[in-house]
Amino acid sequence: MAVAASPQATAAAAALSRHRSAAVPPVSRSVRVAAAGRRPPGSSRARGGLVARAAVAAKAEAPSSSDSGGHEVLMFEALREAMIEEMTLDPTVCIIGEDVGDYGGSYKVSKGLSEMFGDLRVLDTPIAENSFTGMGIGAAMKGLRPVVEGMNMGFLLLAYNQISNNCGMLPYTSGGQFKIPIVIRGPGGVGRQLGAEHSQRLESYFQSIPGIQMVACSTPYNAKGLLKAAIRSDNPVVLFEHVLLYNLKEKIPDEEYICCLEEAEMVRPGSQLTILTYSRMRYHVMQAVKTLVNKGYDPEVIDIRSLKPFDLHTIGNSIKKTHRVLIVEECMRTGGIGASLRSAIIDNFWDELDTRPVCLSSQDVPTPYAATLEDATVVQPAQIVAAVEEICQS
């Protein structure tokens, strides 16, 4: 049963709108509020219906924030904005997880949401990942759109049975009788001296599950757009957030926007070589690019964003232009995202390549606690520069 938005939630959404920018034209705000108000209580969106399909398929994104005013946010604030907007528009959206209520989440993504929407829609749970993930899947089967927060992606290994055997398979094994419109999100990746159990690179674990979509955000802009699209999708979506990116700051548009769940992002056009990356490694790559440009190289950089399925259209067009590929990831080398991506490139674009595709990945070891050893397990900008030089000279 859907839980209606409270008067406090409506007031909070209005406060958020005022906070975001006084420069937003009043007409734009009025149109958005009126559009939400015109939605009849019995419409498919209010029931968690099929509006989401357009969110997955849409190719157009909002203009860059520099062209349309906008407001500055940290990445965790952008994720929070996405949830406030979607929970205000759709009473079937709810949040489930450890400490998501009064505490506001381990990285404050849900801070203040329990006061806005009440503790039935922002549900604090015991430390029982398998149980509350299963509860979220059951809620999705009955028509809600849960956002399940894992305090750490490593902890979601305890829920792997639910995610794999139920979340990914039930739409198929039920013969299409059930949809599972659930988002499973949380922090992962190598932090700063968080130790092995809290610095795991598990993207490929979830990528391998049939029936699951997976995306990785890397900026406040795409974090908000991808989360909104994931909430609206009728497919189960895993959103991977890197633990070191929550405090990234960026100006994002005041207007509502979404990002396509299946589309890569062109970060830097180039002509000599295609660099494919995602999440935190986007920033290591861009550090390396500064050095490469000074040395006379012209790399093209693509943030693949969609870890499943890959956007082979964007990737293929780039390879047909540059004929050389370097994949840079933080995931493990054995069975990682890069291994799957390299296989897809060889299968689909072998004839376009002038040299073998190269993949730089993390070491196949538990992440050490010591900072120097921790850095040694992760791809660094200097390694990217060396790899590009070798590829371009081969």
Side-chain angles (χ1 to χ4, degrees):
M1 181 177 67
V3 181
S6 66
Q8 292 89 340
T10 305
L16 172 67
S17 180
R18 290 193 300 271
H19 165 73
R20 287 199 301 201
S21 177
V24 181
V27 173
S28 300
R29 284 201 295 266
S30 299
V31 167
R32 292 201 300 274
V33 172
R38 284 198 302 270
R39 185 173 292 115
S43 68
S44 62
R45 185 70 177 103
R47 296 195 304 269
L50 301 178
V51 172
R53 294 192 186 278
V56 178
K59 290 294 180 182
E61 293 183 10
S64 66
S65 54
S66 59
D67 298 332
S68 59
H71 58 288
E72 279 196 340
V73 291
L74 302 174
M75 196 170 90
F76 80 88
E77 294 172 329
L79 292 164
R80 181 174 175 270
E81 280 191 15
M83 291 197 292
I84 290 173
E85 290 177 10
E86 293 304 303
M87 293 179 76
T88 301
L89 289 172
D90 188 343
T92 67
V93 179
C94 55
I95 301 172
I96 301 172
E98 300 156 351
D99 287 336
V100 297
D102 293 339
Y103 187 70
S106 55
Y107 290 91
K108 303 306 177 185
V109 174
S110 59
K111 183 179 179 181
L113 268 63
S114 62
E115 288 85 355
M116 297 180 192
F117 299 100
D119 57 10
L120 288 179
R121 293 185 67 191
V122 185
L123 185 62
D124 264 330
T125 68
I127 303 175
E129 286 81 2
N130 194 55
S131 298
F132 68 71
T133 303
M135 181 170 62
I137 294 168
M141 292 170 66
K142 296 298 290 182
L144 298 183
R145 290 183 175 270
V147 179
V148 174
E149 176 179 312
M151 190 178 287
N152 183 282
M153 280 292 181
F155 302 163
L156 286 177
L157 291 178
L158 296 166
Y160 198 82
N161 170 63
Q162 291 286 357
I163 298 170
S164 177
N165 286 330
N166 292 327
C167 190
M169 294 187 184
L170 277 172
Y172 173 77
T173 56
S174 69
Q177 295 180 72
F178 293 111
K179 295 181 297 184
I180 313 292
I182 189 173
V183 180
I184 299 172
R185 51 154 297 271
V190 177
R192 288 199 176 94
Q193 293 186 273
L194 297 180
E197 292 184 2
H198 291 77
S199 289
Q200 300 196 64
R201 295 148 279 195
L202 302 174
E203 305 95 279
S204 61
Y205 283 47
F206 299 101
Q207 186 211 36
S208 66
I209 300 173
I212 297 286
Q213 275 191 280
M214 187 169 188
V215 290
C217 57
S218 54
T219 68
Y221 177 87
N222 66 39
K224 180 177 179 179
L226 290 172
L227 180 53
K228 286 173 69 70
I231 291 171
R232 298 182 187 190
S233 175
D234 285 333
N235 298 315
V237 180
V238 175
L239 174 60
F240 172 73
E241 304 156 12
H242 199 285
V243 67
L244 292 183
L245 299 185
Y246 281 119
N247 287 321
L248 277 177
K249 182 180 285 188
E250 183 184 26
K251 183 181 284 189
I252 65 174
D254 296 309
E255 295 76 17
E256 183 180 32
Y257 68 92
I258 57 172
C259 296
C260 180
L261 292 175
E262 299 168 354
E263 188 176 81
E265 176 188 349
M266 179 66 68
V267 180
R268 182 191 188 275
S271 60
Q272 282 186 293
L273 168 131
T274 299
I275 303 179
L276 304 174
T277 189
Y278 66 93
S279 190
R280 177 195 178 194
M281 286 296 106
R282 169 174 174 157
Y283 298 95
H284 282 211
V285 167
M286 293 311 293
Q287 287 180 49
V289 164
K290 293 178 182 178
T291 302
L292 290 166
V293 169
N294 289 335
K295 291 187 173 187
Y297 293 97
D298 185 26
E300 182 154 288
V301 179
I302 295 175
D303 184 340
I304 62 173
R305 291 199 316 201
S306 176
L307 306 187
K308 184 180 183 180
F310 295 130
D311 179 5
L312 294 180
H313 175 75
T314 300
I315 293 168
N317 284 341
S318 179
I319 292 172
K320 291 172 185 177
K321 177 172 61 173
T322 66
H323 308 291
R324 296 177 175 87
V325 182
L326 172 64
I327 301 167
V328 181
E329 64 174 345
E330 193 180 82
C331 200
M332 299 293 189
R333 183 168 186 80
T334 302
I337 300 294
S340 297
L341 183 54
R342 179 160 52 178
S343 176
I345 290 169
I346 290 171
D347 287 346
N348 290 278
F349 308 111
W350 177 256
D351 291 340
E352 301 291 340
L353 294 168
D354 288 344
T355 185
R356 65 182 180 88
V358 176
C359 183
L360 297 179
S361 310
S362 291
Q363 301 296 314
D364 286 339
V365 297
T367 304
Y369 176 78
T372 52
L373 295 178
E374 181 182 73
D375 286 344
T377 68
V378 178
V379 179
Q380 300 298 326
Q383 295 171 268
I384 300 169
V385 170
V388 169
E389 290 178 326
E390 181 178 349
I391 293 169
C392 289
Q393 292 168 9
S394 63

